[in-house]
Each structure stands twice: as C-alpha cells, then as structure tokens.
Amino acid sequence: GFDDDPSTVAYLRYLFTKKQYTAAAADWSAHLASREPPVNDGYPVKTAVFNGGFEYASAQSPFDWQFDAIKNILVTRDEAVHHEGNYSMRVEFSGNDNPEYRDLHQTAVVTPGRYRLDAYLRTAAITSAEGVRIMIQGLPSGVVLAETEALKGTNDFAPLSATFEVPLGTAMVDIRLARH
C-alpha cells in the first residue's frame, strides 16, 4: 500500500531474491507511472534503460542508476555539463591512481535476441591506457556481451554504440561504465 521509492526498491530487491525479474520490472514501471508527476521517459516500451539521460535523481533501484561511494572517485549528477536534457552523470577519478572501475551501473530485464546500446560519453584528461567505455554483461552469468570503444584523453560528447546478442538463459543485462 505504500508507493514511495524506498518501499518500492525494497520490494524489488525482494522480488530479485525470488528471481522474479519480469514482475520486478513491471512493478518498477507501475511505480514510475504512480509518481506525482508521473515519470515517462519511454521505459520500458521504447527503451530497456530507465533514466538514460540522468534526468531523475537515482532511487537506487536495480532498474535505475546505482553507484557506491568509492575512495578517490566522485560520482554526481551534473546540471552544468550535459549532452541533451538537463543533466549528465559525472565520474571523477582523483588522478592519484589507476583504478578498475565498474560501479556506475543499471540492470535491465531482457529476452533473448539482438539489442543495440547507444550512449554519449565525454572525457577529460583520461590517462589510463584502457580509457573508459560502456560494458554490457549478461545476468546471472556475468559474461561480457559487448563493450563500446574506449575513450582516452579529452573528448567532447562522443556517440558510442554496441550491438549484442542476448543468449537463451540470460534474464537481464547490466549496463556499466567501465575503466579496465
């Protein structure tokens, strides 16, 4: 009976423990429609990714952008620099080390078939040999299904895409910003 973000997210996490991913996605969509004002960014009919433009503050739902606080890495919604809409997500590395990073991510329920991910990424002074990219992993296996080209150095918003096949037995994909 309580239709707020914390209650809904707790319920979605419960459904995940029961492996009821499709029901969880439907409940998340219903919750978004019940918000005041309702949230409608084409999810899940036009896109499997919710809040792709970071227009809404994260509810930390499995179907929304999630990230953890990590030493020397700052993750914030940015209203000053954005490709379209009013926001982007900024990930700042301290420059004191060269960490593996995969902590900004979102889960999407999928069915077997062919998919395409399109994204825009902007970089400033990325010095690691591997750069940063978008990675798609199948769940529950964790197998990497695709990665976009890696960006290094300084780049204005650049279009990145990856086409990938979701195999039988894969119920979801995890979309991650990755720095190897």
PDB file of all heavy atoms in Angstrom, residues 2 5 17 20 23 27 50 58 81 93 99 110 120 122 128 133-135 137 146 156 159 172 176:
ATOM      1  N   PHE A   2       2.139   1.182   0.293  1.00  0.00           N
ATOM      2  CA  PHE A   2       2.987   2.364   0.303  1.00  0.00           C
ATOM      3  C   PHE A   2       3.725   2.432  -1.023  1.00  0.00           C
ATOM      4  O   PHE A   2       4.492   1.535  -1.353  1.00  0.00           O
ATOM      5  CB  PHE A   2       3.992   2.317   1.453  1.00  0.00           C
ATOM      6  CG  PHE A   2       3.336   2.355   2.801  1.00  0.00           C
ATOM      7  CD1 PHE A   2       3.203   1.200   3.552  1.00  0.00           C
ATOM      8  CD2 PHE A   2       2.848   3.540   3.303  1.00  0.00           C
ATOM      9  CE1 PHE A   2       2.583   1.223   4.785  1.00  0.00           C
ATOM     10  CE2 PHE A   2       2.239   3.583   4.535  1.00  0.00           C
ATOM     11  CZ  PHE A   2       2.095   2.421   5.283  1.00  0.00           C
ATOM     12  N   ASP A   5       9.538   5.583  -3.150  1.00  0.00           N
ATOM     13  CA  ASP A   5      10.760   4.975  -3.672  1.00  0.00           C
ATOM     14  C   ASP A   5      11.365   3.945  -2.722  1.00  0.00           C
ATOM     15  O   ASP A   5      11.644   2.820  -3.145  1.00  0.00           O
ATOM     16  CB  ASP A   5      11.797   6.048  -4.018  1.00  0.00           C
ATOM     17  CG  ASP A   5      11.482   6.776  -5.306  1.00  0.00           C
ATOM     18  OD1 ASP A   5      10.538   6.389  -6.031  1.00  0.00           O
ATOM     19  OD2 ASP A   5      12.202   7.757  -5.602  1.00  0.00           O
ATOM     20  N   THR A  17      15.408 -11.594  -5.091  1.00  0.00           N
ATOM     21  CA  THR A  17      15.817 -12.799  -4.352  1.00  0.00           C
ATOM     22  C   THR A  17      14.989 -14.003  -4.785  1.00  0.00           C
ATOM     23  O   THR A  17      15.454 -15.138  -4.697  1.00  0.00           O
ATOM     24  CB  THR A  17      15.699 -12.625  -2.824  1.00  0.00           C
ATOM     25  OG1 THR A  17      14.328 -12.491  -2.456  1.00  0.00           O
ATOM     26  CG2 THR A  17      16.520 -11.454  -2.320  1.00  0.00           C
ATOM     27  N   GLN A  20      12.201 -13.206  -9.644  1.00  0.00           N
ATOM     28  CA  GLN A  20      11.016 -12.739 -10.356  1.00  0.00           C
ATOM     29  C   GLN A  20      11.331 -11.394 -11.016  1.00  0.00           C
ATOM     30  O   GLN A  20      10.763 -10.358 -10.692  1.00  0.00           O
ATOM     31  CB  GLN A  20       9.836 -12.636  -9.387  1.00  0.00           C
ATOM     32  CG  GLN A  20       9.426 -13.976  -8.833  1.00  0.00           C
ATOM     33  CD  GLN A  20       8.254 -13.884  -7.884  1.00  0.00           C
ATOM     34  OE1 GLN A  20       7.578 -12.863  -7.797  1.00  0.00           O
ATOM     35  NE2 GLN A  20       8.005 -14.968  -7.169  1.00  0.00           N
ATOM     36  N   ALA A  23       8.472  -9.557 -13.141  1.00  0.00           N
ATOM     37  CA  ALA A  23       7.496  -8.943 -12.225  1.00  0.00           C
ATOM     38  C   ALA A  23       8.088  -7.697 -11.582  1.00  0.00           C
ATOM     39  O   ALA A  23       7.402  -6.680 -11.422  1.00  0.00           O
ATOM     40  CB  ALA A  23       7.063  -9.944 -11.155  1.00  0.00           C
ATOM     41  N   ASP A  27       6.595  -3.945 -11.843  1.00  0.00           N
ATOM     42  CA  ASP A  27       6.266  -3.165 -10.646  1.00  0.00           C
ATOM     43  C   ASP A  27       7.002  -1.826 -10.633  1.00  0.00           C
ATOM     44  O   ASP A  27       6.461  -0.814 -10.207  1.00  0.00           O
ATOM     45  CB  ASP A  27       6.570  -3.962  -9.380  1.00  0.00           C
ATOM     46  CG  ASP A  27       5.571  -5.079  -9.150  1.00  0.00           C
ATOM     47  OD1 ASP A  27       4.523  -5.098  -9.835  1.00  0.00           O
ATOM     48  OD2 ASP A  27       5.831  -5.943  -8.294  1.00  0.00           O
ATOM     49  N   PHE A  50      16.152   2.710 -18.058  1.00  0.00           N
ATOM     50  CA  PHE A  50      15.418   3.792 -17.408  1.00  0.00           C
ATOM     51  C   PHE A  50      16.377   4.948 -17.121  1.00  0.00           C
ATOM     52  O   PHE A  50      17.514   4.735 -16.716  1.00  0.00           O
ATOM     53  CB  PHE A  50      14.782   3.302 -16.098  1.00  0.00           C
ATOM     54  CG  PHE A  50      14.207   4.422 -15.274  1.00  0.00           C
ATOM     55  CD1 PHE A  50      13.090   5.112 -15.715  1.00  0.00           C
ATOM     56  CD2 PHE A  50      14.795   4.805 -14.084  1.00  0.00           C
ATOM     57  CE1 PHE A  50      12.563   6.163 -14.977  1.00  0.00           C
ATOM     58  CE2 PHE A  50      14.272   5.842 -13.336  1.00  0.00           C
ATOM     59  CZ  PHE A  50      13.158   6.520 -13.783  1.00  0.00           C
ATOM     60  N   SER A  58      18.623   9.343  -8.698  1.00  0.00           N
ATOM     61  CA  SER A  58      18.516   7.891  -8.584  1.00  0.00           C
ATOM     62  C   SER A  58      17.789   7.477  -7.316  1.00  0.00           C
ATOM     63  O   SER A  58      18.063   7.983  -6.236  1.00  0.00           O
ATOM     64  CB  SER A  58      19.907   7.245  -8.586  1.00  0.00           C
ATOM     65  OG  SER A  58      19.771   5.853  -8.391  1.00  0.00           O
ATOM     66  N   VAL A  81      27.037  20.483 -17.210  1.00  0.00           N
ATOM     67  CA  VAL A  81      27.542  19.890 -18.451  1.00  0.00           C
ATOM     68  C   VAL A  81      26.655  18.705 -18.798  1.00  0.00           C
ATOM     69  O   VAL A  81      26.532  17.772 -18.018  1.00  0.00           O
ATOM     70  CB  VAL A  81      29.011  19.411 -18.271  1.00  0.00           C
ATOM     71  CG1 VAL A  81      29.507  18.751 -19.546  1.00  0.00           C
ATOM     72  CG2 VAL A  81      29.906  20.565 -17.863  1.00  0.00           C
ATOM     73  N   PHE A  93      37.819  10.760 -11.355  1.00  0.00           N
ATOM     74  CA  PHE A  93      38.897   9.975 -10.762  1.00  0.00           C
ATOM     75  C   PHE A  93      39.915  10.955 -10.190  1.00  0.00           C
ATOM     76  O   PHE A  93      40.184  11.991 -10.789  1.00  0.00           O
ATOM     77  CB  PHE A  93      39.553   9.080 -11.818  1.00  0.00           C
ATOM     78  CG  PHE A  93      38.603   8.123 -12.473  1.00  0.00           C
ATOM     79  CD1 PHE A  93      38.042   8.407 -13.705  1.00  0.00           C
ATOM     80  CD2 PHE A  93      38.251   6.934 -11.845  1.00  0.00           C
ATOM     81  CE1 PHE A  93      37.154   7.530 -14.316  1.00  0.00           C
ATOM     82  CE2 PHE A  93      37.371   6.045 -12.444  1.00  0.00           C
ATOM     83  CZ  PHE A  93      36.826   6.349 -13.676  1.00  0.00           C
ATOM     84  N   PRO A  99      42.531   3.125 -11.002  1.00  0.00           N
ATOM     85  CA  PRO A  99      41.654   2.062 -10.510  1.00  0.00           C
ATOM     86  C   PRO A  99      40.829   1.377 -11.600  1.00  0.00           C
ATOM     87  O   PRO A  99      40.477   1.980 -12.597  1.00  0.00           O
ATOM     88  CB  PRO A  99      40.721   2.809  -9.560  1.00  0.00           C
ATOM     89  CG  PRO A  99      40.606   4.166 -10.185  1.00  0.00           C
ATOM     90  CD  PRO A  99      41.993   4.455 -10.740  1.00  0.00           C
ATOM     91  N   VAL A 110      15.648  -8.349 -20.026  1.00  0.00           N
ATOM     92  CA  VAL A 110      15.663  -8.559 -21.476  1.00  0.00           C
ATOM     93  C   VAL A 110      15.181  -9.972 -21.796  1.00  0.00           C
ATOM     94  O   VAL A 110      15.105 -10.826 -20.917  1.00  0.00           O
ATOM     95  CB  VAL A 110      17.086  -8.359 -22.064  1.00  0.00           C
ATOM     96  CG1 VAL A 110      17.523  -6.915 -21.971  1.00  0.00           C
ATOM     97  CG2 VAL A 110      18.086  -9.279 -21.389  1.00  0.00           C
ATOM     98  N   TYR A 120      26.265   8.470 -25.131  1.00  0.00           N
ATOM     99  CA  TYR A 120      27.214   9.559 -25.357  1.00  0.00           C
ATOM    100  C   TYR A 120      28.106   9.641 -24.137  1.00  0.00           C
ATOM    101  O   TYR A 120      27.628   9.610 -23.004  1.00  0.00           O
ATOM    102  CB  TYR A 120      26.487  10.888 -25.561  1.00  0.00           C
ATOM    103  CG  TYR A 120      25.850  10.979 -26.924  1.00  0.00           C
ATOM    104  CD1 TYR A 120      24.582  10.484 -27.150  1.00  0.00           C
ATOM    105  CD2 TYR A 120      26.547  11.552 -27.985  1.00  0.00           C
ATOM    106  CE1 TYR A 120      24.005  10.547 -28.405  1.00  0.00           C
ATOM    107  CE2 TYR A 120      25.982  11.624 -29.247  1.00  0.00           C
ATOM    108  CZ  TYR A 120      24.709  11.119 -29.444  1.00  0.00           C
ATOM    109  OH  TYR A 120      24.147  11.181 -30.691  1.00  0.00           O
ATOM    110  N   ARG A 122      31.602  11.725 -22.517  1.00  0.00           N
ATOM    111  CA  ARG A 122      32.539  12.853 -22.588  1.00  0.00           C
ATOM    112  C   ARG A 122      33.676  12.553 -21.627  1.00  0.00           C
ATOM    113  O   ARG A 122      33.432  12.078 -20.516  1.00  0.00           O
ATOM    114  CB  ARG A 122      31.808  14.131 -22.168  1.00  0.00           C
ATOM    115  CG  ARG A 122      32.659  15.375 -22.163  1.00  0.00           C
ATOM    116  CD  ARG A 122      31.772  16.564 -21.730  1.00  0.00           C
ATOM    117  NE  ARG A 122      32.509  17.780 -21.696  1.00  0.00           N
ATOM    118  CZ  ARG A 122      33.105  18.272 -20.610  1.00  0.00           C
ATOM    119  NH1 ARG A 122      33.024  17.623 -19.467  1.00  0.00           N
ATOM    120  NH2 ARG A 122      33.761  19.396 -20.657  1.00  0.00           N
ATOM    121  N   SER A 128      44.655   6.678 -18.520  1.00  0.00           N
ATOM    122  CA  SER A 128      44.919   5.234 -18.498  1.00  0.00           C
ATOM    123  C   SER A 128      44.963   4.697 -19.921  1.00  0.00           C
ATOM    124  O   SER A 128      44.302   5.211 -20.820  1.00  0.00           O
ATOM    125  CB  SER A 128      43.856   4.504 -17.674  1.00  0.00           C
ATOM    126  OG  SER A 128      42.612   4.553 -18.327  1.00  0.00           O
ATOM    127  N   ARG A 133      34.677   3.198 -21.043  1.00  0.00           N
ATOM    128  CA  ARG A 133      33.762   2.651 -22.039  1.00  0.00           C
ATOM    129  C   ARG A 133      32.469   2.242 -21.341  1.00  0.00           C
ATOM    130  O   ARG A 133      32.381   2.241 -20.124  1.00  0.00           O
ATOM    131  CB  ARG A 133      34.386   1.442 -22.709  1.00  0.00           C
ATOM    132  CG  ARG A 133      34.545   0.283 -21.717  1.00  0.00           C
ATOM    133  CD  ARG A 133      35.412  -0.837 -22.190  1.00  0.00           C
ATOM    134  NE  ARG A 133      36.794  -0.452 -22.079  1.00  0.00           N
ATOM    135  CZ  ARG A 133      37.739  -0.839 -22.915  1.00  0.00           C
ATOM    136  NH1 ARG A 133      37.472  -1.654 -23.898  1.00  0.00           N
ATOM    137  NH2 ARG A 133      38.968  -0.454 -22.766  1.00  0.00           N
ATOM    138  N   ILE A 134      31.489   1.804 -22.130  1.00  0.00           N
ATOM    139  CA  ILE A 134      30.265   1.213 -21.616  1.00  0.00           C
ATOM    140  C   ILE A 134      30.370  -0.291 -21.859  1.00  0.00           C
ATOM    141  O   ILE A 134      30.704  -0.727 -22.963  1.00  0.00           O
ATOM    142  CB  ILE A 134      29.001   1.764 -22.307  1.00  0.00           C
ATOM    143  CG1 ILE A 134      28.979   3.287 -22.307  1.00  0.00           C
ATOM    144  CG2 ILE A 134      27.751   1.163 -21.674  1.00  0.00           C
ATOM    145  CD1 ILE A 134      28.825   3.924 -20.956  1.00  0.00           C
ATOM    146  N   MET A 135      30.085  -1.066 -20.823  1.00  0.00           N
ATOM    147  CA  MET A 135      30.176  -2.522 -20.893  1.00  0.00           C
ATOM    148  C   MET A 135      28.797  -3.111 -20.595  1.00  0.00           C
ATOM    149  O   MET A 135      28.082  -2.612 -19.722  1.00  0.00           O
ATOM    150  CB  MET A 135      31.189  -3.001 -19.847  1.00  0.00           C
ATOM    151  CG  MET A 135      31.330  -4.492 -19.755  1.00  0.00           C
ATOM    152  SD  MET A 135      32.634  -4.973 -18.587  1.00  0.00           S
ATOM    153  CE  MET A 135      31.866  -4.574 -17.037  1.00  0.00           C
ATOM    154  N   GLN A 137      26.958  -6.665 -19.527  1.00  0.00           N
ATOM    155  CA  GLN A 137      27.160  -8.031 -19.031  1.00  0.00           C
ATOM    156  C   GLN A 137      25.823  -8.745 -18.953  1.00  0.00           C
ATOM    157  O   GLN A 137      24.821  -8.151 -18.550  1.00  0.00           O
ATOM    158  CB  GLN A 137      27.744  -8.006 -17.619  1.00  0.00           C
ATOM    159  CG  GLN A 137      29.162  -7.529 -17.534  1.00  0.00           C
ATOM    160  CD  GLN A 137      29.626  -7.525 -16.092  1.00  0.00           C
ATOM    161  OE1 GLN A 137      29.326  -6.600 -15.365  1.00  0.00           O
ATOM    162  NE2 GLN A 137      30.342  -8.565 -15.696  1.00  0.00           N
ATOM    163  N   ALA A 146      29.129  -7.260 -24.613  1.00  0.00           N
ATOM    164  CA  ALA A 146      29.636  -6.229 -25.527  1.00  0.00           C
ATOM    165  C   ALA A 146      30.300  -5.121 -24.731  1.00  0.00           C
ATOM    166  O   ALA A 146      30.017  -4.933 -23.540  1.00  0.00           O
ATOM    167  CB  ALA A 146      28.496  -5.654 -26.365  1.00  0.00           C
ATOM    168  N   ASP A 156      34.887  15.720 -26.427  1.00  0.00           N
ATOM    169  CA  ASP A 156      33.544  16.240 -26.210  1.00  0.00           C
ATOM    170  C   ASP A 156      32.590  15.043 -26.276  1.00  0.00           C
ATOM    171  O   ASP A 156      33.004  13.927 -26.572  1.00  0.00           O
ATOM    172  CB  ASP A 156      33.195  17.273 -27.277  1.00  0.00           C
ATOM    173  CG  ASP A 156      32.002  18.142 -26.879  1.00  0.00           C
ATOM    174  OD1 ASP A 156      31.501  17.993 -25.744  1.00  0.00           O
ATOM    175  OD2 ASP A 156      31.570  18.968 -27.704  1.00  0.00           O
ATOM    176  N   PRO A 159      29.430   9.895 -29.596  1.00  0.00           N
ATOM    177  CA  PRO A 159      28.479   8.782 -29.648  1.00  0.00           C
ATOM    178  C   PRO A 159      29.223   7.449 -29.599  1.00  0.00           C
ATOM    179  O   PRO A 159      30.225   7.258 -30.279  1.00  0.00           O
ATOM    180  CB  PRO A 159      27.780   8.973 -30.988  1.00  0.00           C
ATOM    181  CG  PRO A 159      28.762   9.722 -31.826  1.00  0.00           C
ATOM    182  CD  PRO A 159      29.569  10.574 -30.876  1.00  0.00           C
ATOM    183  N   MET A 172      18.639 -10.868 -17.703  1.00  0.00           N
ATOM    184  CA  MET A 172      18.881  -9.435 -17.569  1.00  0.00           C
ATOM    185  C   MET A 172      20.260  -9.096 -18.108  1.00  0.00           C
ATOM    186  O   MET A 172      21.098  -9.969 -18.286  1.00  0.00           O
ATOM    187  CB  MET A 172      18.828  -9.023 -16.088  1.00  0.00           C
ATOM    188  CG  MET A 172      17.487  -9.260 -15.433  1.00  0.00           C
ATOM    189  SD  MET A 172      17.472  -8.762 -13.699  1.00  0.00           S
ATOM    190  CE  MET A 172      18.565  -9.964 -12.968  1.00  0.00           C
ATOM    191  N   ARG A 176      27.201  -0.930 -17.580  1.00  0.00           N
ATOM    192  CA  ARG A 176      28.169  -0.322 -16.657  1.00  0.00           C
ATOM    193  C   ARG A 176      29.116   0.624 -17.374  1.00  0.00           C
ATOM    194  O   ARG A 176      29.537   0.354 -18.497  1.00  0.00           O
ATOM    195  CB  ARG A 176      29.042  -1.404 -16.012  1.00  0.00           C
ATOM    196  CG  ARG A 176      28.294  -2.322 -15.102  1.00  0.00           C
ATOM    197  CD  ARG A 176      29.214  -3.336 -14.442  1.00  0.00           C
ATOM    198  NE  ARG A 176      28.453  -4.108 -13.481  1.00  0.00           N
ATOM    199  CZ  ARG A 176      28.335  -3.792 -12.191  1.00  0.00           C
ATOM    200  NH1 ARG A 176      28.936  -2.742 -11.712  1.00  0.00           N
ATOM    201  NH2 ARG A 176      27.600  -4.548 -11.388  1.00  0.00           N
TER     202      ARG A 176
END
